Amino acid sequence: MASKMITTDDGTSMTIPEMLKSIERYNPKHFPFLEKYVQEQAKENTYDLDANLAVLKFYQFNPHMLNMQITQLIMIKAITNLPFSDFVLCKYLLLPVQMRDDTIKEIIYIADILEQCDFVLFWQHVQNKDKAELFEKITGFYDSVRKFVCHVVGTTFQTIDKVYLSRLLGNVDDKQLAQWVKKNTWTLQGDLVTIIKQEETIKTKHISEKIDFESLGGVIANCL
């Protein structure tokens, strides 16, 4: 997505990143534009942490303008950038009234499950009909989580059972599983997915030491 343009009071045009680095960041006239930008991120599967943090910070200074739906979108988008700490950064900016919101509590619970890498429980929870609508508002949400799952699998396993990997990815079918295996340059052989070959992790290393006579002489003298 191309950088969005805004126009300042003096008629100057600038992108959102430029605006966030200037005094215009604190101009309340731009705030509706930033809220719309959050909605566009959810719809277009893009992400701008700095802009989202600016929105949450604005709510801190102007609680009367708090929009809970925008807050929810920001928190869910932060989940999509795991394993980075975006969600924690956003959570620290929430007001008590935001923390008491039932939907925000649900989003925080989902984030906790993911951070604990309990992926089976995560999919059971979000694929529930009562919960699915919330996360389906975010284009690419499930694939973003699957990308995080693959990151964890890639740093944890050398090989993994095909059926178990499918469960971790949300009970994907064989075609989807093959796509994720290919995307991560893994190897699928029968019922086993090879994450990394053992021989690639073990490299022969030749170690040579050079000890001169002077340093050896001191050691021998201390032994006498």
Side-chain angles (χ1 to χ4, degrees):
M1 179 174 62
S3 295
K4 301 295 182 179
M5 302 295 296
I6 63 171
T7 303
T8 62
D9 292 339
D10 63 2
T12 303
S13 295
M14 60 175 62
T15 64
I16 285 183
E18 291 171 338
M19 183 270 288
L20 293 174
K21 293 178 181 178
S22 71
I23 192 64
E24 292 294 333
R25 176 190 184 100
Y26 305 100
N27 189 336
K29 292 183 179 180
H30 302 321
F31 188 67
F33 189 89
L34 284 177
E35 287 187 317
K36 183 179 179 181
Y37 185 46
V38 172
Q39 295 173 320
E40 290 174 351
Q41 292 176 52
K43 182 179 179 180
E44 300 175 13
N45 195 18
T46 56
Y47 185 58
D48 190 331
L49 175 62
D50 289 340
N52 296 348
L53 291 175
V55 172
L56 294 179
K57 197 68 178 178
F58 185 89
Y59 290 150
Q60 283 190 325
F61 292 124
N62 303 274
H64 62 286
M65 298 182 68
L66 175 61
N67 186 320
M68 202 64 73
Q69 290 184 336
I70 295 296
T71 302
Q72 294 164 6
L73 292 179
I74 289 174
M75 299 308 291
I76 298 175
K77 286 298 295 184
I79 290 178
T80 66
N81 209 36
L82 284 169
F84 297 102
S85 59
D86 298 22
F87 189 84
V88 175
L89 293 174
C90 293
K91 183 178 175 181
Y92 284 155
L93 292 178
L94 296 183
L95 296 165
V97 65
Q98 292 167 301
M99 293 291 289
R100 290 193 296 267
D101 178 72
D102 288 339
T103 302
I104 294 296
K105 290 180 180 178
E106 175 70 16
I107 295 169
I108 292 174
Y109 174 67
I110 288 298
D112 288 342
I113 292 176
L114 284 176
E115 289 177 346
Q116 294 167 17
C117 298
D118 194 342
F119 301 128
V120 174
L121 177 60
F122 166 81
W123 291 112
Q124 290 175 348
H125 201 75
V126 300
Q127 290 176 344
N128 182 296
K129 291 183 179 179
D130 296 333
K131 311 293 183 181
E133 183 179 355
L134 172 64
F135 300 100
E136 288 173 353
K137 295 178 182 178
I138 309 297
T139 302
F141 175 74
Y142 294 133
D143 279 347
S144 295
V145 172
R146 292 186 177 103
K147 183 178 179 181
F148 174 57
V149 172
C150 289
H151 166 77
V152 174
V153 169
T155 57
T156 307
F157 294 88
Q158 290 188 347
T159 58
I160 185 171
D161 180 76
K162 167 187 171 182
V163 175
Y164 182 50
L165 178 58
S166 173
R167 289 181 63 201
L168 296 182
L169 291 172
N171 295 312
V172 296
D173 58 31
D174 288 347
K175 182 179 180 180
Q176 291 174 303
L177 181 67
Q179 291 173 344
W180 284 102
V181 168
K182 181 179 179 180
K183 185 176 296 186
N184 289 278
T185 64
W186 298 338
T187 304
L188 175 60
Q189 295 178 321
D191 294 330
L192 198 64
V193 176
T194 300
I195 306 301
I196 185 170
K197 296 180 180 179
Q198 184 68 18
E199 56 267 24
E200 293 178 356
T201 64
I202 302 176
K203 296 182 180 180
T204 303
K205 186 175 182 179
H206 298 284
I207 301 175
S208 59
E209 296 184 5
K210 183 178 181 181
I211 303 177
D212 56 44
F213 181 77
E214 292 182 357
S215 60
L216 184 61
V219 174
I220 295 175
N222 289 331
C223 295
L224 297 177

